[in-house]
Amino acid sequence: MERGIRYCRVNAFCTLLLVLFAWVPVTKTVITCRSCHLLDKWSGRELLVRMDSGVDFGKVSDKNGDGSVALFNSAGAETGQPDCGATDNCEHAHSVRKRNTDRLRSEKMPSDDKWKSVRSNGKVYNLKRPGSQGSAPGDPHHRVRRSTQRPDSPPGARPPPSFGNSTARTARRVPRSELRWNREERRTATSRQEELKLTSSTFALTGDSAHNQAMVHWSGQNSSVILMLTKLYDFNLGSVTESSLWRSTDYGTTYEKLNEKVGVKTILSYLYVSPNNKRKIMLLTDPEVESSLLISSDEGATYQKYRLNFYILSLLFHPEQEDWILAYGHDQKLYSSVEFGRRWQLVHERVAPNRFYWSKLGLDKEPGLIHLETKALYVTCKLQNCTDANKGKPFPGYIDPNSLVVQDEYVFVQVSTGGRPIYYVSSRRDVFTPMKLPKYTLPKDLHVISTDENRVVAAVQEWNQNDTYNLYVSEAGGIYYTLALENVMSSMGPEGNVMIDLYEVAGIKGMFLANKKLNNEVKTYITYNKGRDWRLLQAPSADLRGNRIHCMLPYCSLHLHLHVSANPYTSGNIASRELAPGIIVASGSIGAELTSSNVSMFITSDAGNTWRQIFDEEYSVLYLDQGGALVAIRHTPLPIRHLRLSFDEGRVWNKYSFTSSPLFVDGVLGEPGEETLIMTIFGHVSHRSEWQLVKIDFRSIFNRRCIESDYVPWDLHDQGERCLMGVKRVYRKLKPIARCVMGKTYSVTTISEPCDCTESDFECDYGFERRADGKCTPAFWFLPSSMSRTCTTEHTFLNSTGYRKVVSNNCTGGVMEQYTARRQLCPSQAPRGLHLVTSEGKLTATLASNVTFLVFLEEGDGSKTSITVDFGDGNAFTYSNVSSIEDGIKHIYKNVGIYRVSATAENSLGSETVLLFLHITCQLESIHLSAPFVAVKNKEVNLTVVLSPSQVGTVTYIWWFGNNSEPVITLEGSVAFTFSREGISVVTVQVSAGNNILQDRKTIAVHEYFRSHLLAFSSNLDDHNPDVAEWRLDVSRVIKNSMVQATGVNSDQLLVTVLPGLPTVAEFFLLPDKQLTEGKPEKTLSELVLSALNQNLVQFTLRPGVQITVYAAHLSAAPLVDTSENHSGSAMLMLLSVVVVGLAVFLIYKFKRKIPGLHIYAAMQDEKEQEMIQSPVSLTDSTPSFSSQRELLTTLEPLDTEQEIMIMVQAESEPAVALLQGDNSKQVLFDEVASALILFRF
């Protein structure tokens, strides 16, 4: 089981805490320190240090899959904290809490102030990555504030270092302690000669004084090699401008600069190490200069350079294969390499950041399988063959973005339906099932905290909570959850991520500490049985000076700050160690509640039963020699030269000097592996000085190795109760008086003896709540019979007693049989609680796509209950039992519409039916508003929207007319509207179909009356007509200019529009205007325009060599004829038909009779109003672009005519008619189903 700073196991902070306080094998570390710029401008000076270890720190260290040296955010994701200079308000970046939900993974830090958080609020979160088993617990890099003084600051006004909690550090009273410390530093030379000294050596990184970042990798594992990458990060440019690579082969005594080996001009930005083989090193160059990587297989002695065609943001190493790596690029592409980065292959595009995972051995079918989230889908993919044919979709439907979590044997996704999130879980790669929280939990936010030991721990913020969360625990399947602890405190991290005040104690299974808010007071509680029971902490009986402390429960108790440092070089507020069970060091206060003032350091050596005060101010307390000794470094803004050592679990502290000159301490790095008796302190003597690396060798203060007689047995207990988690555990611990080295051969020895089961070994089952007397009773919303829902697929079910055994509890006998659920035969009953949903939880689906229906039956004998599903489209299927449709029922709808889907469950005792109304839609691609270009004032006009495709499902139309602020909303695509004012009116329509909204707009000229005429063109124009709106606009403008030039008509009075479709046809409009035509005979202007057209005077050049002639089109109702010279008979026949039509028109006009299919309109000069009758042509899918869809292109002008008749012919049967010129020398064909206007003169 992985352990760490909280219930989460793979959290970066969990890892950091264990590494930091354990003082054990640590490899890669990143320290950050800040100093000030010149000219009073603060800059960042950071030592980014990465810790690695082969030692198992609560099993966090070997499952991170991280081979990098990286900055991690408080979520445990390796993004680091945003830089805020060296100002005092940046303290929060160095003391952050440890409990978040994101996974631990190695992510590249492009710059210090541009780290990206990989967490998504309100989603299901990941604690760890199924990464390499050799990954170190301290893989992440973190920052330490470099304690420097501003040029304008008075002496002693330095900002505090980043040890511990910044709030508490600010609140402490510095003057007295600093005076005391200064008195100690002002000892005489004689007293200094008598003080205890440690063996140490100092090395300065010469030439790197300007560098403000550093990354360190210490291999350990019988290796003396240390690598350090220092960088100058320019906060103004946002990039690295200088770098140096250093290598030590003697445990840090001396270093060699390797810039010439990697290239003098090469700027390095990041360092990665294979977690499965610490000899393999990978360096990334700054992508602002070049995109490449350098690879070493000999612990950084030699390098080979390889070019990259993408920019790496993060890496994920395989848990077993040392050369297998996944790389996430800046363009959301996922790449893979099976040669440790020498060659890369694209795996998938559009992958969600940090939502890709390696397969887990024993759960996934293939070792090279990848779990990833892409385009809101959860898919699995083969490493070297990620094609559509090889992709799997474990979850049948879309998921919320950035919600996929693959952790241990569980997979979590989130799907929001109706504004509420639904959380799904899959155990051991089985089918997904909704997570069952208590019915009225109604979560606003949910985080998966832990998946250790076949149980899920989740932090849920309910609808009535703001700054607290409730803890829920599940059974082995991760489906059913019960309440473990209410109102656990939370806070926001520097990256905006949520941190829960919950700490898992390393080395003691089932032991946790949590800060709970009770009556507006924050109190610390402890549990020894995974949250089954909680109690307050007993305060120490005496203070540091031996004075008695009067503190009685429950009014007064000990409260602890459960924060861990974001920097592995400094301790946080609390620390424990897997190899030192029972020893916990933490900062806190005594009283009615937790405070940030009067903070002291406390220690327990009996797993929280009794506590002792060890310092009255804050210290960083670190573990040495597997916990056999403790090292304490005081928090102070001044330079120091001493540290303190304890060999008896903090009872006595001895003072040692580690350097002759005081040093501003930025951080500490411990040896990763073996005896962990070598430590390196990073610091500086001034803000302008180089990095000072002080190597301390503690081996000289130990006189021998520990033997068996140096150890004593220790019984784990909770206030005298030895049966914890169902067993009695006896540990072997070092005697307080023993001053020996335990070394690498030391291991925790435990003797376990099972206990009889008692009521305390059981927690309340799902649907049950614990009363004040400790009994579990059903909640008001819960029906115990509903637990027999397994009867829908099986013949037996477990009849709950209201209790379930705590996961990992090993008790036997006792009340086991009384409290354990009993398996019973399923009762015969009618089906009840039938549910019918789609796999995506939606009420819409896309046309021609597979719709998966899921049918659930809460109660009833599933083996004897048939299920009939009617899809509402004439198809229905019956299934003999419920188990046969566990994977869902797939169906494809071929038509758009709303379907009534029903499911009926029936057996011999009854039946039940449930309905679902499903909307089948297709994507709306385009719309076209069909409207006249000119309308008559106070006459109703029909406006129609043509959709493409014509059937898309439920559609809403929103209409705006003119300057009206209120729209007209209809469900039909046609409306009738009357324009009451002359002028230009704009009609806008929006069409809403599903999540898609499209818009079209038309401009309509409104006048008292108008004249129009069709235009035809020489046939060569059709060869150059692409039939697009832009082309028609341009050609209309050219035609208008040609007509104005040929006739002299004022351009403001002429409108020309080219109609959609082929052959090319246009229409021009002339409007009478009293002001412009007063005193002029209308016939003159009319004859002028028509004469120019008939004499072929209107021409234009479309392109060089392409001359186009414009004609006045004459419409004939006769069949199509050929007017060429070789077919004179046909021409005569057409001429005869024209005469017949003319005669018919005359008779119609004479007798004023209306012939069906032919509508007549007479416009006389003495009439002041002209009526335009629209042709009743219906629009269909096949006629989206005819004259009824004409576009208004130019302004209108009047035409004076005399004794003219406008005839509108409705082409009801023939799709094409012949347009004859005046001399009948040519014919032009056009396809116009809408109304055609013909102007005849008498």
Side-chain angles (χ1 to χ4, degrees):
M1 167 178 110
E2 288 193 358
R3 299 170 194 257
I5 37 191
R6 53 184 130 151
Y7 245 5
C8 75
R9 164 182 67 172
V10 182
N11 189 290
F13 298 107
C14 308
T15 304
L16 295 179
L17 171 71
L18 297 174
V19 172
L20 185 55
F21 293 123
W23 223 235
V24 288
V26 182
T27 341
K28 283 181 259 173
T29 323
V30 183
I31 302 181
T32 303
C33 62
R34 296 195 181 98
S35 64
C36 55
H37 281 299
L38 298 179
L39 303 178
D40 298 341
K41 184 174 181 179
W42 291 96
S43 67
R45 174 147 183 158
E46 306 180 43
L47 177 59
L48 311 176
V49 184
R50 159 115 195 224
M51 294 185 154
D52 251 2
S53 173
V55 177
D56 181 25
F57 299 105
K59 298 186 181 177
V60 177
S61 62
D62 52 7
K63 292 188 180 179
N64 294 334
D66 177 16
S68 73
V69 180
L71 278 169
F72 281 70
N73 65 5
S74 59
E78 14 78 75
T79 53
Q81 292 110 19
D83 183 77
C84 47
T87 56
D88 291 338
N89 61 359
C90 194
E91 298 271 338
H92 69 275
H94 312 293
S95 180
V96 295
R97 303 188 184 184
K98 57 183 185 289
R99 286 143 302 279
N100 196 304
T101 53
D102 269 295
R103 63 189 177 202
L104 179 61
R105 49 183 297 138
S106 70
E107 179 171 1
K108 178 178 179 300
M109 177 194 62
S111 65
D112 187 62
D113 61 344
K114 292 185 179 180
W115 296 310
K116 299 179 181 179
S117 174
V118 300
R119 180 191 174 279
S120 298
N121 292 324
K123 304 288 187 261
V124 179
Y125 291 92
N126 189 1
L127 320 180
K128 76 183 186 84
R129 297 299 307 266
S132 172
Q133 301 296 325
S135 175
D139 275 353
H141 303 201
H142 298 267
R143 298 183 293 179
V144 175
R145 177 188 293 271
R146 176 158 175 170
S147 303
T148 56
Q149 183 174 342
R150 291 186 55 158
D152 58 346
S153 301
R158 309 182 58 81
S162 61
F163 296 115
N165 178 267
S166 60
T167 304
R169 186 164 61 249
T170 304
R172 70 183 180 87
R173 293 174 293 180
V174 175
R176 178 180 298 179
S177 61
E178 300 306 340
L179 290 174
R180 182 172 66 252
W181 185 266
N182 290 336
R183 289 195 299 268
E184 294 175 355
E185 293 298 326
R186 290 196 299 269
R187 291 181 177 179
T188 61
T190 303
S191 63
R192 285 192 174 182
Q193 292 176 356
E194 297 174 354
E195 67 184 3
L196 300 174
K197 295 182 179 180
L198 297 171
T199 303
S200 64
S201 61
T202 303
F203 186 88
L205 300 183
T206 306
D208 288 354
S209 60
H211 291 191
N212 52 16
Q213 292 182 355
M215 293 172 155
V216 181
H217 164 67
W218 194 342
S219 294
Q221 299 175 340
N222 295 318
S223 174
S224 60
V225 175
I226 301 176
L227 286 176
M228 173 174 279
L229 172 63
T230 64
K231 303 176 293 182
L232 172 60
Y233 180 79
D234 192 312
F235 294 92
N236 295 321
L237 297 178
S239 62
V240 178
T241 57
E242 294 180 15
S243 68
S244 296
L245 183 63
W246 300 82
R247 186 173 187 262
S248 172
T249 58
D250 53 8
Y251 290 96
T253 302
T254 60
Y255 288 83
E256 175 190 3
K257 200 169 187 176
L258 303 181
N259 284 26
E260 293 184 357
K261 290 187 177 181
V262 299
V264 177
K265 297 183 178 180
T266 300
I267 299 178
L268 303 174
S269 64
Y270 214 71
L271 171 67
Y272 289 94
V273 181
S274 171
N276 299 306
N277 185 351
K278 302 301 176 61
R279 295 179 59 85
K280 292 188 174 182
I281 311 295
M282 181 184 296
L283 295 169
L284 294 182
T285 61
D286 187 354
E288 298 292 335
V289 180
E290 62 173 328
S291 184
S292 60
L293 55 82
L294 294 92
I295 297 175
S296 172
S297 299
D298 52 9
E299 292 187 286
T302 60
Y303 294 90
Q304 297 81 41
K305 194 172 187 178
Y306 297 88
R307 295 285 182 180
L308 292 174
N309 57 4
F310 64 98
Y311 172 28
I312 294 178
L313 290 179
S314 63
L315 294 180
L316 179 65
F317 290 81
H318 193 274
E320 288 90 23
Q321 302 291 335
E322 63 184 50
D323 292 334
W324 289 15
I325 309 174
L326 293 177
Y328 187 73
H330 67 288
D331 51 359
Q332 291 189 318
K333 294 181 179 179
L334 185 66
Y335 300 85
S336 67
S337 174
V338 294
E339 301 178 40
F340 199 71
R342 292 173 176 83
R343 279 193 290 268
W344 296 92
Q345 176 180 333
L346 178 64
V347 176
H348 208 287
E349 297 181 345
R350 298 184 64 180
V351 176
N354 303 300
R355 300 296 170 182
F356 48 92
Y357 309 81
W358 284 111
S359 58
K360 186 176 179 64
L361 186 63
L363 291 174
D364 294 289
K365 298 178 180 179
E366 301 180 25
L369 198 67
I370 303 171
H371 302 262
L372 58 89
E373 178 185 325
T374 174
K375 295 182 289 187
L377 290 173
Y378 166 33
V379 301
T380 56
C381 205
K382 292 184 178 180
L383 175 63
Q384 297 294 317
N385 190 17
C386 189
T387 61
D388 291 337
N390 292 322
K391 290 180 183 177
K393 287 185 61 176
F395 186 80
Y398 290 96
I399 64 176
D400 289 354
N402 299 308
S403 68
L404 173 65
V405 174
V406 181
Q407 182 171 307
D408 293 328
E409 63 184 52
Y410 300 97
V411 181
F412 303 91
V413 296
Q414 175 180 317
V415 178
S416 293
T417 303
R420 285 188 180 181
I422 300 177
Y423 304 96
Y424 290 86
V425 61
S426 168
S427 177
R428 302 194 63 83
R429 310 301 188 257
D430 203 348
V431 296
F432 279 87
T433 305
M435 297 168 60
K436 298 294 185 181
L437 293 166
K439 186 173 183 178
Y440 295 105
T441 299
L442 305 180
K444 293 191 300 184
D445 193 16
L446 185 147
H447 305 270
V448 174
I449 302 299
S450 171
T451 56
D452 290 339
E453 297 182 329
N454 300 320
R455 184 179 74 161
V456 179
V457 179
V460 179
Q461 188 173 62
E462 302 188 18
W463 61 274
N464 57 350
Q465 292 178 307
N466 294 316
D467 59 350
T468 61
Y469 281 72
N470 291 347
L471 293 181
Y472 288 89
V473 294
S474 77
E475 31 67 67
I479 300 174
Y480 298 100
Y481 291 79
T482 58
L483 182 65
L485 185 65
E486 290 183 296
N487 296 319
V488 179
M489 286 300 299
S490 69
S491 62
M492 297 299 294
E495 295 285 331
N497 49 291
V498 176
M499 299 179 294
I500 311 297
D501 272 15
L502 180 68
Y503 178 79
E504 180 173 8
V505 178
I508 306 295
K509 185 177 70 171
M511 183 177 176
F512 295 87
L513 292 163
N515 283 332
K516 175 181 177 179
K517 190 174 185 179
L518 181 65
N519 298 327
N520 291 323
E521 293 180 338
V522 180
K523 301 175 182 288
T524 302
Y525 289 78
I526 189 172
T527 179
Y528 294 86
N529 52 11
K530 289 197 171 183
R532 163 60 169 80
D533 299 291
W534 297 84
R535 66 170 176 84
L536 294 169
L537 298 179
Q538 178 64 59
S541 58
D543 63 11
L544 187 62
R545 298 167 184 81
N547 300 320
R548 182 173 177 80
I549 298 176
H550 299 279
C551 184
M552 296 185 61
L553 295 174
Y555 310 104
C556 175
S557 60
L558 174 64
H559 311 285
L560 305 177
H561 291 281
L562 304 181
H563 307 170
V564 292
S565 175
N567 189 323
Y569 289 91
T570 62
S571 68
N573 301 110
I574 186 168
S576 60
R577 174 85 179 275
E578 186 77 19
L579 294 177
I583 300 178
I584 308 172
V585 182
S587 64
S589 60
I590 299 174
E593 62 176 331
L594 179 66
T595 64
S596 297
S597 59
N598 299 322
V599 176
S600 300
M601 298 299 300
F602 300 90
I603 190 172
T604 177
S605 55
D606 58 1
N609 286 280
T610 60
W611 294 81
R612 302 187 306 275
Q613 184 180 9
I614 54 176
F615 300 110
D616 58 1
E617 54 187 340
E618 286 192 271
Y619 273 74
S620 291
V621 180
L622 312 169
Y623 290 83
L624 189 67
D625 183 34
Q626 318 283 17
L630 299 174
V631 179
I633 301 178
R634 193 168 68 92
H635 290 180
T636 175
L638 299 177
I640 61 175
R641 51 184 297 270
H642 294 95
L643 54 77
R644 297 176 183 270
L645 274 173
S646 174
F647 302 94
D648 56 0
E649 299 176 341
R651 292 176 176 83
V652 177
W653 294 86
N654 299 316
K655 185 177 180 181
Y656 291 82
S657 65
F658 63 89
T659 180
S660 58
S661 300
L663 186 73
F664 292 103
V665 176
D666 297 318
V668 187
L669 174 66
E671 177 190 1
E674 318 316 340
E675 302 170 1
T676 64
L677 294 176
I678 297 178
M679 177 194 306
T680 299
I681 294 180
F682 298 86
H684 58 287
V685 295
S686 71
H687 73 278
R688 297 177 182 271
S689 68
E690 293 89 358
W691 293 99
Q692 302 291 323
L693 278 61
V694 181
K695 171 190 171 183
I696 304 175
D697 192 339
F698 291 94
R699 290 177 292 188
S700 60
I701 64 176
F702 293 94
N703 50 24
R704 62 183 179 85
R705 283 191 174 273
C706 297
I707 58 177
E708 189 63 30
S709 59
D710 293 319
Y711 297 95
V712 294
W714 168 67
D715 295 335
L716 174 65
H717 66 94
D718 175 14
Q719 294 183 331
E721 175 57 53
R722 293 187 56 202
C723 284
L724 301 176
M725 295 297 291
V727 294
K728 296 178 181 178
R729 281 172 282 181
V730 180
Y731 293 87
R732 187 182 67 159
K733 296 181 64 175
L734 193 66
K735 292 179 180 179
I737 60 174
R739 188 164 177 174
C740 57
V741 177
M742 291 189 290
K744 64 180 181 179
T745 60
Y746 172 75
S747 61
V748 177
T749 302
T750 306
I751 301 175
S752 299
E753 178 185 346
C755 299
D756 290 338
C757 291
T758 64
E759 190 267 344
S760 63
D761 296 313
F762 293 82
E763 62 190 4
C764 290
D765 202 352
Y766 173 77
F768 291 81
E769 297 175 339
R770 189 175 301 280
R771 299 184 310 193
D773 60 359
K775 301 297 182 181
C776 295
T777 58
F780 74 93
W781 50 265
F782 180 69
L783 295 175
S785 61
S786 63
M787 292 303 293
S788 64
R789 64 187 58 189
T790 56
C791 288
T792 60
T793 56
E794 302 176 11
H795 297 285
T796 61
F797 75 102
L798 288 175
N799 188 11
S800 176
T801 62
Y803 298 85
R804 67 187 185 196
K805 193 176 180 180
V806 175
V807 175
S808 301
N809 188 292
N810 297 318
C811 71
T812 58
V815 298
M816 172 79 76
E817 184 176 352
Q818 177 184 349
Y819 284 90
T820 302
R822 301 172 182 86
R823 183 162 295 277
Q824 297 180 0
L825 291 175
C826 291
S828 297
Q829 57 182 352
R832 179 181 175 183
L834 184 64
H835 298 274
L836 174 64
V837 296
T838 62
S839 60
E840 299 178 6
K842 299 180 180 180
L843 297 177
T844 61
T846 305
L847 182 67
S849 65
N850 252 323
V851 182
T852 302
F853 294 95
L854 302 178
V855 180
F856 302 101
L857 183 63
E858 292 186 1
E859 298 181 28
D861 188 351
S863 62
K864 298 179 181 180
T865 301
S866 64
I867 303 293
T868 301
V869 179
D870 188 339
F871 300 105
D873 60 352
N875 295 310
F877 296 94
T878 300
Y879 303 88
S880 59
N881 52 62
V882 176
S883 60
S884 61
I885 55 174
E886 285 183 350
D887 296 332
I889 306 169
K890 299 183 183 298
H891 187 68
I892 297 177
Y893 288 90
K894 299 180 179 180
N895 296 303
V896 171
I898 303 176
Y899 294 89
R900 179 182 182 272
V901 185
S902 65
T904 301
E906 185 176 6
N907 60 23
S908 59
L909 298 177
S911 63
E912 186 175 53
T913 300
V914 63
L915 297 177
L916 182 149
F917 294 94
L918 184 66
H919 293 244
I920 301 298
T921 63
C922 67
Q923 182 71 24
L924 179 62
E925 298 176 357
S926 64
I927 66 171
H928 176 78
L929 175 58
S930 176
F933 303 105
V934 186
V936 178
K937 176 183 175 182
N938 293 326
K939 295 295 181 180
E940 192 173 77
V941 176
N942 289 323
L943 307 173
T944 303
V945 178
V946 180
L947 308 181
S948 178
S950 60
Q951 298 295 327
V952 295
T954 304
V955 178
T956 303
Y957 301 85
I958 304 101
W959 306 83
W960 280 270
F961 298 97
N963 295 324
N964 294 341
S965 59
E966 294 295 329
V968 177
I969 300 176
T970 67
L971 296 178
E972 297 292 335
S974 296
V975 295
F977 189 77
T978 301
F979 296 94
S980 60
R981 296 181 181 179
E982 288 192 73
I984 302 299
S985 292
V986 178
V987 178
T988 302
V989 62
Q990 290 182 334
V991 180
S992 174
N995 294 326
N996 195 20
I997 298 180
L998 299 182
Q999 175 178 299
D1000 195 11
R1001 177 182 289 114
K1002 286 292 185 295
T1003 302
I1004 301 176
V1006 181
H1007 291 276
E1008 293 281 348
Y1009 55 91
F1010 61 88
R1011 297 288 189 274
S1012 69
H1013 200 291
L1014 290 177
L1015 299 176
F1017 305 92
S1018 51
S1019 59
N1020 57 343
L1021 180 60
D1022 293 342
D1023 299 334
H1024 304 279
N1025 184 355
D1027 196 23
V1028 295
E1030 292 80 3
W1031 185 89
R1032 291 193 293 269
L1033 287 173
D1034 291 335
V1035 173
S1036 298
R1037 176 174 43 81
V1038 173
I1039 296 172
K1040 175 184 174 181
N1041 293 337
S1042 300
M1043 293 181 66
V1044 170
Q1045 184 177 2
T1047 62
V1049 177
N1050 193 323
S1051 62
D1052 294 334
Q1053 309 305 312
L1054 180 64
L1055 165 66
V1056 178
T1057 175
V1058 176
L1059 305 180
L1062 291 173
T1064 308
V1065 179
E1067 186 174 6
F1068 76 89
F1069 296 86
L1070 292 171
L1071 299 176
D1073 190 295
K1074 294 181 180 180
Q1075 296 180 355
L1076 296 178
T1077 61
E1078 186 174 359
K1080 295 183 182 180
E1082 296 182 0
K1083 186 175 181 180
T1084 302
L1085 183 58
S1086 172
E1087 290 179 348
L1088 179 63
V1089 174
L1090 294 177
S1091 176
L1093 292 171
N1094 291 331
Q1095 296 179 29
N1096 299 337
L1097 298 179
V1098 181
Q1099 298 182 349
F1100 64 92
T1101 302
L1102 186 66
R1103 62 174 57 182
V1106 180
Q1107 190 74 13
I1108 307 298
T1109 303
V1110 185
Y1111 309 103
H1114 296 278
L1115 186 62
S1116 173
L1120 294 178
V1121 295
D1122 191 346
T1123 60
S1124 64
E1125 296 178 357
N1126 297 330
H1127 299 83
S1128 57
S1130 300
M1132 291 300 295
L1133 181 61
M1134 175 167 284
L1135 181 59
L1136 181 60
S1137 65
V1138 170
V1139 174
V1140 173
V1141 171
L1143 181 59
V1145 170
F1146 174 78
L1147 293 175
I1148 293 172
Y1149 173 74
K1150 188 69 176 178
F1151 298 100
K1152 297 182 179 180
R1153 298 188 58 183
K1154 195 170 186 180
I1155 303 174
L1158 191 63
H1159 304 277
I1160 304 170
Y1161 168 71
M1164 306 304 292
Q1165 183 179 1
D1166 56 347
E1167 295 177 354
K1168 299 301 181 181
E1169 180 177 318
Q1170 179 180 2
E1171 180 183 22
M1172 176 66 71
I1173 303 176
Q1174 290 283 32
S1175 174
V1177 176
S1178 61
L1179 296 173
T1180 63
D1181 296 344
S1182 60
T1183 60
S1185 56
F1186 293 129
S1187 62
S1188 60
Q1189 306 172 29
R1190 298 167 186 168
E1191 304 158 58
L1192 181 62
L1193 305 178
T1194 58
T1195 57
L1196 306 175
E1197 71 175 43
L1199 172 64
D1200 292 81
T1201 59
E1202 192 173 348
Q1203 301 291 335
E1204 294 179 345
I1205 299 176
M1206 295 275 292
I1207 302 179
M1208 302 183 68
V1209 180
Q1210 178 181 356
E1212 296 179 341
S1213 59
E1214 291 291 336
V1217 295
L1219 293 178
L1220 302 183
Q1221 296 180 186
D1223 58 358
N1224 292 330
S1225 62
K1226 298 180 181 178
Q1227 75 169 10
V1228 180
L1229 301 180
F1230 75 99
D1231 190 7
E1232 181 67 28
V1233 177
S1235 300
L1237 300 177
I1238 308 174
L1239 182 63
F1240 289 94
R1241 305 191 53 83
F1242 297 93

